Amino acid sequence: MNEQAAKPMLRRFRLAAQLPDVHPNRWLGLMLLMLHFSAVFGNDAYWTRPFLLAHYGLFLLWQPLVGGNEKLDPRMAALIFAAAVLLVFWSWWVLALWLAVLIGLVGTNTASVESRRQRVVYLLALAYLLALLLAWVMPHVFSADQLHATMTVVVRYGLIPLPLAIVLIRPGARQLQQISVVDFFYGLMLFLMVLVLVLGSFAVVAVTHADYLMALAQTLFAMALLLVVLSWLWNPRAGFGGLSQLLSRYLLSVGLPFEQWIQHLARQAEYQGDPEAFIRAAVASLDDLPWLAGGSWATVKSGSSFGTHTAHVLSFTYHGLELNWYTQRPISPALQIHARLLSQLLGYFYQAKLREQQLQHNAYTQAIHETGARLTHDVKNLLQSMKALVAAAQNSGPEQADALQALMQRQLPQMTQRLQGTLDKLKVPQQTGDSLIAATLWWERVVQHYARDNIEFAMQAAAPGCALPQDLFDSVLDNLVGNALRKRQEDQSVSISVRLECAGQVTLSVCDSGEAASDAVAAHLFDAPVGSEHGLGIGLYQAARQAAQLGYTLRLASNRDGEVCFTLSSQPG
């Protein structure tokens, strides 16, 4: 092939490559111009059909249903060819049906665009199509005699500026990137309304023998009245839900009573603890649906299937749950919405069961952690007491042997008892009770235990029979006194006082004259573990939880420099 022959072919290739870059508004305007020349000027002329074919070709370039880069199905190609043949051998009824289709497509685009300029383009196209249908095509459907000469001139020359304006309006940069969205139900509603208008006018003319304009006015009035009644019935607010609620219930219950399946799903969620077992039981209840041939589900751990696997499948994935529904034939949009809703509910329930399982694991781990932390703190307090006894034994002389022996006789049984209690907690961690001890006996042991630490002890006269939980008061006192003694190690002038009231309400107070706790630490002292340089930072948190379980309250009564006081008190009964 020589160079001269290749240039025209290259130009054709460049033109074909530029066609997709043309904005659809250009195709829309040219499509309406071709329709105008063929229907209004051509009528029965020999060049009417070529203009109609050109109009149909421009429609295929403009139509928003199928993308230009998609591969056509053979059935779709056959439908496109059949529509072209129908337009070639056209009649006024065929043209009216075709205009109704165009009005539906243009109308649904008008409702979906956001740009004002693009909306103006679609409104001009909609006005032109409606004017052509009402002022030209419908009079020819009834009788050409009903078309006045003035109306002929107005239609032929007065409607041309509308498609010309569509061609000349320049789209904005945002419109060039905008994709048309086709609302199937909105377009179908417009198409049916146009058909009702055409057929209703024809029926009025055929029955009453009125002229076309009177029949058109009566039909429009009847349609307007019907739309007003339907709009009121859609949401009447007069004691019943209206058509909107009935339609919603129908869409939810199509193919399956929605309320019954939800109740079954809730029962399975209540009785089935394992997520996979719950999904298996819930999916098994769907096997009886008439529109469902089979299905399958899969999670990270397991999966299963039932029924027959067909070529028509709906696949959904929600929260790690993969669902496939197989049907004998393609299902309607309402059933697709229904299947999607059922799949979403299964996914949400499955996620809830996973979270429930995870919470159980977390609760078990937290119980182990809290028990271990509490026992660790008890062991640490016992170790401190043992260190004190060892230090007393190392620093005592022969002349202090009797005093040391008396100290050992007093402290070792108490330490043995506390160590045995710690081991009992380890064996039975779920036990939250606590053994009671007489307040006076417990107070004597406390005074003896801290006799060497220069602590001021004061106890009011105890009511007869006053008893308190020994483990709780031992743990709280060890924590509070231990913290105060650490302050004294940094400042020898810190004084410590312990007071016990046991008259009606049991109250234990531990105060020191050291530095106050910071606001950040004080805010979370009993709600969560706090940072600590001397331990786990969990002692007071565990003590507060133990106190709450036994009906006591541990709080920071005073927090200022020189006066830091903690109180453990029983709740008023």
Side-chain angles (χ1 to χ4, degrees):
M1 182 181 296
N2 56 25
E3 184 178 355
Q4 296 297 329
K7 287 183 178 179
M9 184 175 295
L10 290 175
R11 294 193 190 97
R12 287 196 296 270
F13 285 151
R14 294 192 187 100
L15 179 61
Q18 292 174 0
L19 282 178
D21 296 333
V22 179
H23 195 268
N25 290 352
R26 302 284 192 264
W27 302 132
L28 177 61
L30 294 175
M31 175 187 75
L32 297 181
L33 283 176
M34 295 297 104
L35 177 64
H36 190 81
F37 290 145
S38 59
V40 178
F41 287 101
N43 205 350
D44 292 330
Y46 67 92
W47 43 269
T48 299
R49 289 179 176 82
F51 270 97
L52 277 175
L53 286 177
H55 158 75
Y56 189 67
L58 292 170
F59 165 77
L60 294 178
L61 292 175
W62 167 79
Q63 55 82 29
L65 300 176
V66 181
N69 56 350
E70 295 184 13
K71 186 177 181 180
L72 281 180
D73 185 80
R75 290 175 294 183
M76 180 65 69
L79 182 62
I80 293 174
F81 181 75
V85 173
L86 192 63
L87 277 180
V88 169
F89 299 98
W90 70 286
S91 66
W92 291 111
W93 279 107
V94 172
L95 191 58
L97 180 64
W98 179 245
L99 288 176
V101 172
L102 293 180
I103 290 172
L105 289 176
V106 174
T108 185
N109 282 322
T110 307
S112 62
V113 296
E114 299 179 358
S115 172
R116 180 179 300 178
R117 186 181 302 181
Q118 187 66 20
R119 187 178 293 111
V120 168
V121 168
Y122 286 132
L123 287 176
L124 290 176
L126 198 59
Y128 170 80
L129 292 171
L130 286 172
L132 184 64
L133 176 66
L134 299 178
W136 185 260
V137 176
M138 288 180 60
H140 280 86
V141 168
F142 300 129
S143 175
D145 297 336
Q146 299 200 28
L147 192 64
H148 299 285
T150 305
M151 183 60 67
T152 301
V153 174
V154 171
V155 172
R156 283 184 173 177
Y157 302 103
L159 295 182
I160 291 182
L162 296 180
L164 284 178
I166 294 174
V167 175
L168 296 177
I169 292 178
R170 292 175 57 87
R174 184 178 178 181
Q175 300 174 25
L176 291 174
Q177 302 175 354
Q178 200 171 35
I179 300 175
S180 297
V181 179
V182 177
D183 190 336
F184 175 77
F185 293 102
Y186 189 81
L188 181 63
M189 183 185 68
L190 286 178
F191 172 74
L192 293 178
M193 288 181 63
V194 173
L195 284 187
V196 170
L197 179 62
V198 174
L199 297 178
S201 302
F202 180 79
V204 171
V205 171
V207 173
T208 63
H209 300 286
D211 60 351
Y212 164 66
L213 293 179
M214 182 59 66
L216 180 62
Q218 293 177 0
T219 305
L220 287 174
F221 178 78
M223 290 179 62
L225 183 61
L226 179 62
L227 289 176
V228 170
V229 173
L230 287 177
S231 65
W232 180 79
L233 289 176
W234 187 259
N235 189 15
R237 298 180 182 177
F240 63 98
L243 297 179
S244 61
Q245 184 175 356
L246 293 178
L247 180 61
S248 300
R249 292 186 61 184
Y250 170 75
L251 291 177
L252 291 177
S253 301
V254 59
L256 175 69
F258 187 71
E259 293 84 359
Q260 296 180 9
W261 190 78
I262 284 294
Q263 292 177 1
H264 174 75
L265 203 64
R267 286 196 301 268
Q268 295 298 331
E270 182 177 357
Y271 295 126
Q272 296 290 346
D274 183 66
E276 275 68 26
F278 162 74
I279 291 297
R280 187 177 293 105
V283 172
S285 64
L286 300 175
D287 194 13
D288 298 332
L289 294 182
W291 55 272
L292 195 61
S296 64
W297 62 272
T299 62
V300 177
K301 295 182 178 179
S302 62
S304 180
S305 62
F306 65 92
T308 306
H309 292 188
T310 63
H312 307 290
V313 59
L314 293 174
S315 299
F316 304 99
T317 301
Y318 295 108
H319 308 292
L321 175 64
E322 297 181 4
L323 296 167
N324 296 310
W325 310 120
Y326 298 94
T327 59
Q328 295 292 349
R329 58 187 61 87
I331 63 176
S332 62
L335 276 178
Q336 291 184 13
I337 296 174
H338 183 65
R340 180 178 292 108
L341 178 60
L342 296 183
S343 303
Q344 286 179 340
L345 285 174
L346 282 173
Y348 292 148
F349 271 92
Y350 175 72
Q351 185 186 37
K353 301 304 291 184
L354 288 177
R355 290 178 176 175
E356 179 182 348
Q357 191 179 59
Q358 186 64 36
L359 286 175
Q360 291 178 353
H361 294 167
N362 292 343
Y364 181 74
T365 304
Q366 184 179 4
I368 295 176
H369 168 72
E370 291 180 357
T371 302
R374 181 182 300 177
L375 297 182
T376 301
H377 205 276
D378 291 344
V379 172
K380 186 186 72 172
N381 292 333
L382 289 173
L383 182 61
Q384 290 178 350
S385 300
M386 292 181 65
K387 288 181 178 179
L389 290 178
V390 172
Q394 291 177 346
N395 298 327
S396 61
E399 67 279 2
Q400 298 174 339
D402 295 337
L404 178 61
Q405 183 179 3
L407 178 63
M408 292 293 181
Q409 290 176 350
R410 291 194 305 268
Q411 296 296 329
L412 287 179
Q414 296 181 20
M415 295 176 59
T416 303
Q417 183 180 2
R418 292 181 62 182
L419 184 58
Q420 183 62 44
T422 301
L423 293 177
D424 292 340
K425 293 179 185 177
L426 185 60
K427 294 178 182 178
V428 191
Q430 70 273 15
Q431 184 177 354
T432 58
D434 200 347
S435 59
L436 297 179
I437 186 174
T440 54
L441 178 59
W442 180 82
W443 186 254
E444 292 176 0
R445 294 179 178 179
V446 166
V447 173
Q448 293 175 3
H449 181 70
Y450 293 102
R452 301 170 59 88
D453 293 321
N454 190 21
I455 298 176
E456 178 186 353
F457 289 94
M459 178 182 179
Q460 294 184 354
C466 179
L468 45 85
Q470 180 179 358
D471 288 344
L472 172 63
F473 274 68
D474 284 341
S475 177
V476 172
L477 187 64
D478 286 341
N479 276 286
L480 297 179
V481 172
N483 292 335
L485 290 175
R486 277 191 290 271
K487 291 183 181 180
R488 179 179 288 178
Q489 292 177 358
E490 299 176 359
D491 184 1
Q492 296 295 330
S493 64
V494 173
S495 61
I496 305 172
S497 63
V498 179
R499 287 176 173 82
L500 177 65
E501 300 178 7
C502 194
Q505 184 179 9
V506 180
T507 302
L508 175 67
S509 302
V510 178
C511 301
D512 65 74
S513 60
E515 184 181 358
S518 63
D519 293 338
V521 173
H524 303 284
L525 201 57
F526 308 112
D527 299 332
V530 295
S532 174
E533 298 178 357
H534 306 283
L536 300 175
I538 200 173
L540 291 180
Y541 168 66
Q542 291 289 351
R545 288 176 59 88
Q546 185 181 4
Q549 292 175 357
L550 297 175
Y552 284 77
T553 302
L554 178 62
R555 63 187 182 93
L556 180 60
S558 176
N559 185 36
R560 57 177 179 267
D561 291 340
E563 185 181 355
V564 180
C565 291
F566 291 86
T567 61
L568 174 66
S569 57
S570 60
Q571 299 176 359

